[in-house]
Amino acid sequence: MVAPVAIVLAVLVLYPLGYGFYLSLTDANEANVARDIGAFHAPATYKMVWFDNYWSVLSGADGDFYPRLIWTVIWTLSCVVLHIAIGMGLALLLNRRMRAKLLYRALLILPWAVPAFVGVFAWRLMLNSQYGVFNDMITAVGLPAQNWLATPFAQKTAVIMVNVWIGVPFNMVALLGGLQSIPKELYEAAEMDGASPWQRFVNITLPGLRPVTNTVVLLGCIWTFNMFAVIYLLLGQNTTGEADILVTFAFRKAFTGVSDYSGAATYGIVILALLLAFSTFYRRRQLKTEQA
Amino acid sequence: MRRGISIAAAVCALALTATACGDDGDDGSTGKAKDAKDISGSLTYWDTSDATTEAPVYKQLIKDFEKKYPKIKVDYENVEFASIEQKFKSAAKTGKGAPDVMRADVGLIPEYASLHYIAPLDGTLALKGGTDDFTEGPLNTTKYQGKTYGVPSVTDTLGILYNKKLFKKAGIEKAPTTWDEFIETAKTIKKKTGVEGTYLNPDSYFLLPFLYGEGTDLADTKTKKITINSPEAVKAVTTAKKVYDQASAKVDFANSYDNMQTSFKNGEVAMLVQGPWSVTDDLSGKAFKGDESNLGFAPVPAGSTGKPQAPTGGHDLTVYQGSKNLDAAYLFTQFMTSSTSQQKVAEETATLPTRESAYTPEVTKDARIKGFHPIMKTARPRVALPQVGSLFTPLVQQYTKILQGDVSVKSGLDAAAKDFKKLLPGYTIGS
């Protein structure tokens, strides 16, 4: 009974993917694809350009790809590192015996439960340099008001901050689950042997968490690499474009003015290839460490 | 006198369709001029007007339309202005779920027309009664390569809005007429009242008055040249930067538009370059509430050409090329843009009509319309390129960098011109 699975895969995955790849080999845009609109018929006039699109992207001739790629990598790394670090810290805090634990957990998961766009718009209001609550607070204690979303550097800092806020709860919950699955006996035995808290953390907690962290890092990298809402919604339209990551850039290509299908498809395939390469490499390294 | 004739023409156009006051229209031109009363069926209309303040009057008009033509049923749908472009385009390409008639931003007409999403309207019922009555600026926005693709419904442009009390306090008699005066005025206000003189919106649309004031544009369709980095454009953007550096309140780039509005209506900024669509919002702020006469109107400042010029904005009604019921769509378009309909809309919402005959004493009684009506003379259409929407993205990015001082005016505009060239095949970068 493989047939249904194969059909579903073909319809949902292979066809769109194949079509996207095909488009990336052409010079198709909204003005030259086949259209039938009422009395108006236009045949397709786009043509195959084979790997021209890839060449112009990868050779840097389009001038957009490498700056966007570098920033996307910085963005992904900083977000994932902060996600895991802060998530781990909160998980450790919550893994102790304490009162009202459920309440803390519920409160800490809240940012994740709020729809991303609501959260992002709330941040945009708070970061408003004239009317936002952040400047109200710092001017109240006598510090000068800041323009939080003005320069490319400020914008980049702001999007990372907001994405960390959104992503930490998931990491916290996943890591907390991992922590609770580590047998208590291990800690007791280590304590008997005189291991310090730091030694216990490094030698028991971290290895015990590895299956969870491996998955969380992989997921976090893929999600963050493709995180659209935070960047697109927090910065609005009047930006220098410096804070655009690959996906938001591809979106602008595909959806402003006369759509550039082939260009956006090329970016899509390149993004896919990058992530495939990354996850293959990551899985392989992971297997190696597990065998070691 | 001209107005008198136009009214007569408009009235007769309406009467023609309502009664069969003359079958002279049935000259068989493309078979479209069939008697309005015989048209039947249903059609969908996508409206982008403000859902709470403007939509009710359009809904009322639709009821009137259905009463007049009982055989036609209209499905009204209010679509948010920000999302209609995507929504319409994805529906239009596939032919599924596209509306028959849509209210489109005038800047989008060349794009839709070049993609054949919207139908040419020359010789159809939609333009029955002629176009003489429409004011020139809005009418120009409907043309693409010699054909008419829309019927002007409402119009707007940019002008100076100012706080008269603050002007008086600073001892300034009248609104500035050149950019130099604009900067001086802003500085004086800041010095005398402590209030910020102006707030520069760092958006490409709001950059256009600077460019037009130097007699240049994004590109020139006749010579197929990109002119965004021409010496005139460099001069224009240098002026804009001067306004930003010397006269403007601190700009929050991510929230520029909202902050501009809030500070102006609260009396924290004395004058803005803004459009009539913002006036209802302005009047709700504490600087103008209950004191509408405090709001002053003036044309945008002139550049070195000496002529103040701003882009024509507003909306045209368009008919989807793939509509199953073109006749009803044409008829509906005609009805919604008729002088009577426009008067009704203007009286209720204070938006600017596109027909001369709709500026009746009743309509111009409204301070908002009275203020902007003379300014409309400074309006000119945007360059009629299908890609004009795409051009705004690289332009705003470079403009932002220029204002923030990351790049010089010249190199920023050179970079924009390079991006323009990618979007405009066959164009050369002029100099």
Side-chain angles (χ1 to χ4, degrees):
Chain A
M1 288 306 279
V2 187
V5 178
I7 292 171
V8 168
L9 276 180
V11 172
L12 289 183
V13 181
L14 295 178
Y15 173 71
L17 198 64
Y19 190 62
F21 182 65
Y22 164 71
L23 281 179
S24 72
L25 301 177
T26 66
D27 64 351
N29 63 36
E30 198 174 353
N32 62 16
V33 293
R35 275 157 303 149
D36 257 330
I37 301 160
F40 171 79
H41 306 278
T45 52
Y46 63 89
K47 56 185 189 301
M48 296 300 281
V49 297
W50 299 107
F51 290 94
D52 277 11
N53 291 323
Y54 290 98
W55 175 246
S56 92
V57 166
L58 296 175
S59 69
D62 78 338
D64 294 314
F65 179 69
Y66 287 103
R68 300 281 65 79
L69 178 67
I70 292 167
W71 160 237
T72 309
V73 171
I74 296 174
W75 144 265
T76 308
L77 281 180
S78 17
C79 285
V80 172
V81 167
L82 288 168
H83 277 156
I84 303 272
I86 300 175
M88 178 89 80
L90 291 172
L92 287 171
L93 286 177
L94 279 181
N95 196 31
R96 297 175 309 169
R97 219 167 284 148
M98 58 167 133
R99 293 166 71 181
K101 194 163 157 179
L102 273 176
L103 177 71
Y104 293 127
R105 259 171 82 160
L107 283 178
L108 282 169
I109 197 97
L110 210 64
W112 209 54
V114 174
F117 78 94
V118 176
V120 175
F121 277 130
W123 275 94
R124 190 162 159 179
L125 289 176
M126 294 194 287
L127 291 171
N128 189 318
S129 65
Q130 267 177 291
Y131 305 106
V133 70
F134 272 44
N135 274 346
D136 286 353
M137 287 192 306
I138 64 170
T139 48
V141 296
L143 293 167
Q146 298 298 315
N147 208 339
W148 299 99
L149 298 171
T151 61
F153 180 77
Q155 293 180 338
K156 286 175 178 175
T157 317
V159 287
I160 290 177
M161 190 170 76
V162 173
N163 192 46
V164 166
W165 179 82
I166 287 177
V168 157
F170 171 78
N171 287 271
M172 178 196 77
V173 170
L175 293 169
L176 187 58
L179 283 179
Q180 283 169 350
S181 71
I182 301 173
K184 294 260 173 337
E185 295 77 29
L186 289 177
Y187 289 100
E188 283 160 14
E191 222 168 331
M192 297 286 271
D193 293 341
S196 69
W198 177 251
Q199 283 172 324
R200 274 177 274 156
F201 177 71
V202 172
N203 294 308
I204 303 173
T205 312
L206 284 185
L209 276 179
R210 189 165 293 147
V212 179
T213 42
N214 279 338
T215 316
V216 167
V217 168
L218 186 65
L219 277 177
C221 284
I222 295 175
W223 281 345
T224 314
F225 201 89
N226 285 334
M227 172 52 84
F228 177 80
V230 170
I231 289 178
Y232 193 76
L233 298 178
L234 189 69
L235 302 180
Q237 300 303 309
N238 288 343
T239 73
T240 55
E242 305 261 305
D244 266 329
I245 55 172
L246 289 172
V247 282
T248 53
F249 182 78
F251 177 85
R252 288 192 212 272
K253 252 186 164 8
F255 293 103
T256 43
V258 179
S259 302
D260 176 6
Y261 297 140
S262 53
T266 309
Y267 268 80
I269 299 288
V270 170
I271 292 169
L272 177 70
L274 286 170
L275 287 176
L276 270 181
F278 166 74
S279 21
T280 320
F281 171 77
Y282 186 82
R283 293 289 302 179
R284 196 168 290 164
R285 207 203 53 152
Q286 205 178 310
L287 281 177
K288 229 179 250 168
T289 48
E290 269 166 28
Q291 282 157 0
Chain B
M1 194 55 225
R2 197 179 147 246
R3 174 166 292 184
I5 295 169
S6 323
I7 292 174
V11 167
C12 192
L14 271 178
L16 263 173
T17 54
T19 65
C21 100
D23 281 335
D24 55 341
D26 292 29
D27 55 355
S29 64
T30 63
K32 270 167 190 145
K34 106 180 174 190
D35 196 52
K37 280 281 175 206
D38 294 335
I39 299 171
S40 64
S42 66
L43 64 96
T44 316
Y45 171 53
W46 282 6
D47 179 27
T48 53
S49 69
D50 186 283
T52 46
T53 59
E54 294 173 4
V57 57
Y58 287 102
K59 284 186 194 154
Q60 188 53 49
L61 278 179
I62 288 169
K63 279 207 189 100
D64 296 347
F65 176 79
E66 286 178 328
K67 204 182 270 166
K68 194 164 167 192
Y69 304 102
K71 285 187 201 162
I72 305 178
K73 171 105 195 53
V74 181
D75 280 322
Y76 174 89
E77 195 179 327
N78 192 285
V79 184
E80 208 196 338
F81 175 68
S83 59
I84 195 161
E85 194 188 347
Q86 274 325 308
K87 198 172 163 181
F88 174 68
K89 278 172 78 172
S90 40
K93 289 183 236 211
T94 54
K96 287 188 192 80
D100 300 280
V101 180
M102 182 180 69
R103 184 173 117 130
D105 184 276
V106 294
L108 296 169
I109 300 288
E111 182 180 331
Y112 292 164
S114 76
L115 296 169
H116 298 275
Y117 292 158
I118 52 179
L121 301 175
D122 306 277
T124 69
L125 264 180
L127 286 174
K128 201 161 179 176
T131 55
D132 292 349
D133 187 30
F134 289 104
T135 47
E136 200 191 333
L139 189 61
N140 282 335
T141 66
T142 64
K143 303 265 170 45
Y144 180 70
Q145 294 190 343
K147 287 187 192 162
T148 312
Y149 284 90
V151 187
S153 159
V154 296
T155 188
D156 58 56
T157 188
L158 294 170
I160 297 178
L161 298 182
Y162 63 97
N163 187 324
K164 286 185 186 162
K165 272 188 203 147
L166 287 172
F167 267 54
K168 214 171 175 188
K169 215 168 143 194
I172 295 160
E173 304 276 305
K174 59 174 194 54
T177 53
T178 66
W179 288 112
D180 286 335
E181 268 180 55
F182 187 82
I183 293 171
E184 281 317 306
T185 306
K187 281 184 180 163
T188 314
I189 289 167
K190 177 97 200 230
K191 209 163 73 199
K192 297 254 173 81
T193 66
V195 167
E196 294 287 351
T198 189
Y199 189 112
L200 182 88
N201 185 12
D203 182 76
S204 32
Y205 186 73
F206 289 74
L207 175 64
L208 295 176
F210 290 98
L211 292 171
Y212 294 171
E214 300 301 328
T216 189
D217 205 332
L218 306 181
D220 184 353
T221 49
K222 280 203 194 84
T223 56
K224 292 210 157 200
K225 277 206 169 120
I226 293 162
T227 51
I228 191 60
N229 60 344
S230 64
E232 293 82 17
V234 171
K235 196 167 173 203
V237 179
T238 309
T239 310
K241 169 116 173 91
K242 206 168 144 198
V243 171
Y244 175 77
D245 288 341
Q246 304 185 2
S248 171
K250 228 183 195 169
V251 171
D252 182 309
F253 282 82
N255 299 294
S256 53
Y257 187 87
D258 293 343
N259 283 14
M260 165 172 81
Q261 271 310 97
T262 315
S263 16
F264 182 64
K265 69 185 191 193
N266 288 344
E268 298 159 23
V269 159
M271 62 177 168
L272 292 183
V273 172
Q274 248 297 21
W277 62 82
S278 76
V279 174
T280 310
D281 181 35
D282 294 325
L283 295 177
S284 72
K286 68 171 184 250
F288 305 103
K289 201 164 189 176
D291 184 16
E292 297 193 3
S293 61
N294 186 29
L295 183 63
F297 301 87
V300 289
S304 59
T305 56
K307 221 168 97 186
Q309 279 202 310
T312 313
H315 302 275
D316 295 338
L317 289 197
T318 57
V319 171
Y320 177 51
Q321 174 92 267
S323 165
K324 298 260 175 342
N325 202 346
L326 281 171
D327 283 329
Y330 295 143
L331 182 67
F332 179 71
T333 306
Q334 182 204 54
F335 179 87
M336 294 297 276
T337 53
S338 71
S339 193
T340 6
S341 299
Q342 291 202 357
Q343 283 169 42
K344 223 178 246 176
V345 172
E347 278 168 36
E348 298 282 331
T349 68
T351 46
L352 292 156
T354 55
R355 283 177 182 271
E356 278 306 328
S357 62
Y359 288 90
T360 60
E362 275 296 297
V363 169
T364 49
K365 212 168 58 185
D366 191 294
R368 293 167 283 182
I369 294 180
K370 200 167 83 193
F372 255 98
H373 188 202
I375 299 177
M376 283 312 296
K377 290 197 190 78
T378 67
R380 74 177 233 189
R382 275 161 271 178
V383 55
L385 281 168
Q387 297 89 342
V388 79
S390 319
L391 297 180
F392 277 133
T393 308
L395 180 59
V396 79
Q397 293 181 343
Q398 295 304 331
Y399 185 36
T400 309
K401 284 186 195 173
I402 291 169
L403 291 180
Q404 293 187 351
D406 286 349
V407 294
S408 72
V409 174
K410 176 77 176 121
S411 59
L413 292 180
D414 284 344
K418 241 193 223 159
D419 281 335
F420 279 23
K421 198 168 172 351
K422 284 187 220 161
L423 296 161
L424 296 169
Y427 274 64
T428 54
I429 297 177
S431 53

